[in-house]
Amino acid sequence: MQPQHVAHRSPRSSGPVVDVEQAEAALVEHYPRLVRLAYLVLPPGLGQGRRVLTAHALVQRALPRGRAAAPVIPAQARGGVEGLGGVRDRGPGYALLRLKVVRAALEAGRPLLRTAWPKRSQLPPLLPQVWGLRLFPRSGGAGELALDQRLSALSGPARAAYALRGLEHLPEDAVRKVLRSAGAGDPAAAIREAARVPAQDGLLASPEFDPCALQALPTDLMRRRQHTKAVLAAVAAAVVCAALLVLPSGGWGADLPSYARNPAAEAALDPAMVTRVPSGAWKTSARTDFSVWPARGDLTGDRALLGRALAAWADPGQAVQVSATPGTPSGPPAGPPQLLYSGRVDTARVVIFYDGLRIARYAEPLGGRSGAALDFARVDAATGAEADAVVLYRADGGIRYLTAPWVTKAVMRNLLVPSAATLYLGPTDGVTAPLAGPVRQDAPCTSWNVLQLTDGSGTRLLTDLGELTPAHLTVGRPAAPREVSGAQALRTWSPFACSLATVRGQGVRSVNAWEYARQALPDGSGAAAWVCARADTWRGDAPRVLAEFHTPGGRYGAVAAKAEGVAACGAKDPHVLAGVLWKSAEGAWYLLAAGSQDTASIHATGGVSGSGRGNLLAVRTSQGAQAGLRGTLLSGRTISGLR
């Protein structure tokens, strides 16, 4: 049974008076809609996890403590397109709750001021709380992502106007009244700003914007363990820390460890000595590497921030979380590093340095220094595409990149669907809009988003593999790889995009895909492609090689063989041999094998016996057969199949 809307007119207000019981009934009945509304209005800069919890907290705190006057605004416009829960009038209780939710969500998006106490909605919610898990709505498609990015560019009142119009189906006058009652300074301007985003009511009702249908992942387990140790150490040393706090400051150098107290080390870590490259130096230099990047960001003159970043680099201690790509040293710089960026990014202050060998990124929350992080990536001899971008900030909402000064355009492309439309990302002063990262390792691979950059020389493709520097994607023979810039190159990569997940976090510098053979299938159903993907690392060792097999009409390629630490499929040894057991549509099993073009013959050994001249082999066999491969090159050299 639906709750009856029983309301009384207040002699002091033009609106009806709502009892607590009536408001509670409206909250319980329409809780998912109110939380969705709060989620849409809250600033995306909070990050998906805090945004979800804050949306629930705002709605739960919207329940009045006593009788309250509801605004004279319909709880739902009559007529129009039915949204979540229909189009009927929801009564004064719902209208009151909606107003309180919008008001609190707008307050949460206002910056904190030193001259005033923060409002409760501007602080992280006390309840609800979730420990040990990250919660976020289910991922949507390209349309939802594009809409979310457009909404993130709007002001808080404009997002509220868009949600009230698209989700609540309120007419413009009612939207103006709600915004005015919620404390928006200029409701008319907010409505005009919201009108610049096309109406997409169906997308607002999608799971992408539903904070009640959530996915959960664990938090960073290693970082959680380190935080626990840090808290215990802080409690044990509380008295000592208090004594240190009252000591007179010795300047930035007071934060340096004892071993760094010598003239050379102090010069390297003095914020006044940081190298700054002029903004136009890259235009006249023959170099296309990090050494010609200018310093960007709105805090390049903040010596206190630079001093904290350099002190953390010298001695991070327990309070700073440190990570480094494999093979990257994390010690202090040998001399004053070059400043690439210092500024505010979403909810953090970020500083990026370059010392000729490494990129070092320091990040601390805007609200304080607790939870600071220091990340390192090796970039020695990086040039061209390898020096086109670094990860500026990574959060639930996506990845922001800092791009080279010569980059003129950045777009997001779904590598799995080459024909899909791209999404424009900027950059603005070198900083891109948030880019949704590739699919998570625990989720089905339905897309693989990459960063496509353009400058005067053409376009290049980079992909995030969970590190500070994205990996450069190329295509073609190992001795002469090409940029993935044409339709054919994109089609070569498409079936194998999801296999990039196997080299996450390995310090990968570049990945080349080489279609080394095409083989007619024995049943006449078409020709299969053999592609060798080689991931080379910044440290120069432990490259990973995948031989992949793609049948006609299939969306994904299959990994036929893989190896680590081999020269095969690379510039020094541009040869490869791999095989796979394949089942025809009629149910017959075959051993299919292919080598590079200079393979003179292939021999199958072990559980399958057969041989053939040239670089292709097809032998009838049975399911589960175990076979070895041996190939002979035109030069007479013998090679083995990848395993």
Side-chain angles (χ1 to χ4, degrees):
M1 178 179 295
Q2 298 292 339
Q4 299 297 315
H5 300 305
V6 180
H8 309 279
R9 289 284 175 178
S10 169
R12 299 182 182 179
S13 171
S14 57
V17 173
V18 178
D19 294 328
V20 177
E21 293 79 6
Q22 182 181 349
E24 183 180 15
L27 188 147
V28 172
E29 181 183 0
H30 304 299
Y31 185 82
R33 171 180 284 275
L34 290 168
V35 176
R36 186 186 291 261
L37 176 63
Y39 183 81
L40 288 168
V41 179
L42 284 169
L46 293 177
Q48 283 184 306
R50 180 174 168 185
R51 194 174 165 197
V52 165
L53 295 178
T54 301
H56 283 273
L58 296 185
V59 174
Q60 293 172 16
R61 294 203 300 261
L63 189 67
R65 297 182 181 274
R67 302 177 72 190
V72 187
I73 301 169
Q76 175 75 23
R78 298 185 181 276
V81 179
E82 182 173 355
L84 294 175
V87 296
R88 58 183 174 79
D89 190 347
R90 304 180 190 282
Y94 178 81
L96 172 65
L97 294 172
R98 180 180 60 197
L99 174 60
K100 291 170 71 70
V101 166
V102 172
R103 180 186 294 131
L106 291 178
E107 289 175 349
R110 296 185 182 121
L112 294 172
L113 301 176
R114 295 184 178 180
T115 57
W117 286 100
K119 293 185 177 293
R120 187 177 179 185
S121 57
Q122 293 177 285
L123 301 174
L126 295 177
L127 291 173
Q129 282 286 350
V130 177
W131 297 91
L133 289 175
R134 292 187 297 113
L135 300 179
F136 46 90
R138 297 185 180 278
S139 300
E144 287 85 346
L145 175 61
L147 177 59
D148 187 48
Q149 293 194 344
R150 292 191 183 101
L151 292 179
S152 67
L154 299 179
S155 64
R159 284 194 302 273
Y162 189 89
L164 290 169
R165 183 185 61 189
L167 187 65
E168 296 292 290
H169 305 298
L170 292 181
E172 185 173 321
D173 289 344
V175 172
R176 187 179 294 108
K177 290 179 182 178
V178 173
L179 293 178
R180 186 180 298 111
S181 300
D186 191 346
I191 292 173
R192 289 194 299 271
E193 183 183 354
R196 295 202 294 266
V197 179
Q200 300 184 69
D201 301 353
L203 293 183
L204 290 180
S206 70
E208 174 85 13
F209 305 107
D210 185 1
C212 292
L214 301 172
Q215 297 184 95
L217 284 177
T219 55
D220 189 327
L221 300 179
M222 292 300 296
R223 182 167 293 185
R224 187 199 307 175
R225 187 174 300 169
Q226 292 169 344
H227 281 173
T228 302
K229 293 179 180 178
V231 169
L232 294 175
V235 172
V239 176
V240 177
C241 291
L244 292 175
L245 287 174
V246 299
L247 292 177
S249 173
W252 71 269
D255 292 331
L256 290 176
S258 57
Y259 64 78
R261 295 185 182 279
N262 63 75
E266 291 187 1
L269 300 173
D270 185 350
M273 300 292 289
V274 166
T275 302
R276 300 168 189 262
V277 174
S279 59
W282 65 274
K283 297 179 181 178
T284 56
S285 174
R287 307 183 69 162
T288 55
D289 56 22
F290 292 110
S291 69
V292 293
W293 278 35
R296 287 168 287 183
D298 60 342
L299 297 177
T300 54
D302 190 337
R303 288 199 177 184
L305 173 61
L306 297 180
R308 291 196 298 274
L310 290 167
W313 194 347
D315 183 19
Q318 293 292 326
V320 179
Q321 308 304 314
V322 180
S323 71
T325 56
T328 304
S330 58
Q338 177 185 339
L339 179 63
L340 303 185
Y341 187 88
S342 179
R344 300 177 185 88
V345 185
D346 296 336
T347 60
R349 287 181 287 265
V350 179
V351 180
I352 298 180
F353 294 116
Y354 169 64
D355 70 349
L357 172 68
R358 301 163 294 175
I359 293 291
R361 182 188 65 188
Y362 171 82
E364 63 181 28
L366 289 177
R369 305 180 194 178
S370 176
L374 183 63
D375 304 295
F376 295 94
R378 186 170 173 175
V379 292
D380 47 315
T383 186
E386 296 166 347
D388 270 354
V390 298
V391 173
L392 182 60
Y393 188 68
R394 187 190 303 271
D396 292 339
I399 305 166
R400 289 188 186 271
Y401 289 93
L402 179 66
T403 62
W406 50 82
V407 171
T408 57
K409 182 181 178 182
V411 300
M412 182 188 80
R413 175 181 290 281
N414 183 359
L415 188 58
L416 198 60
V417 186
S419 60
T422 58
L423 181 64
Y424 180 72
L425 301 175
T428 302
D429 193 25
V431 179
T432 69
L435 163 68
V439 66
R440 297 183 300 275
Q441 287 178 307
D442 63 328
C445 185
T446 57
S447 65
W448 190 275
N449 297 326
V450 295
L451 180 67
Q452 180 175 296
L453 299 178
T454 303
D455 64 8
S457 63
T459 62
R460 292 171 296 281
L461 238 55
L462 306 174
T463 186
D464 174 60
L465 293 177
E467 297 171 325
L468 265 184
T469 53
H472 179 208
L473 300 183
T474 57
V475 66
R477 296 187 62 83
R482 309 183 308 276
E483 298 296 341
V484 187
S485 58
Q488 181 56 46
L490 290 169
R491 285 195 295 269
T492 297
W493 253 114
S494 173
F496 313 106
C498 293
S499 65
L500 288 167
T502 63
V503 292
R504 271 194 174 109
Q506 302 300 314
V508 172
R509 181 174 192 160
S510 62
V511 187
N512 182 61
W514 169 35
E515 184 178 307
Y516 65 90
R518 294 190 70 84
Q519 182 174 23
L521 297 174
D523 64 354
S525 59
W530 287 90
V531 170
C532 181
R534 181 183 173 92
D536 286 304
T537 64
W538 285 100
R539 59 193 183 276
D541 63 356
R544 296 199 173 190
V545 178
L546 300 178
E548 304 182 80
F549 179 76
H550 181 229
T551 54
R555 186 178 187 187
Y556 304 102
V559 176
K562 56 185 177 181
E564 182 174 344
V566 298
C569 196
K572 291 184 177 180
D573 187 16
H575 311 289
V576 63
L577 173 62
V580 67
L581 288 178
W582 175 78
K583 182 182 179 182
S584 69
E586 291 78 17
W589 285 90
Y590 292 86
L591 168 66
L592 303 182
S596 46
Q597 291 296 320
D598 56 351
T599 303
S601 63
I602 300 175
H603 299 269
T605 61
V608 180
S609 178
S611 62
R613 298 182 63 83
N615 68 321
L616 302 174
L617 175 67
V619 180
R620 185 74 178 264
T621 185
S622 58
Q623 182 179 3
Q626 300 291 319
L629 292 174
R630 185 179 71 253
T632 302
L633 303 181
L634 294 175
S635 63
R637 174 187 160 198
T638 300
I639 60 174
S640 300
L642 290 179
R643 300 186 67 86

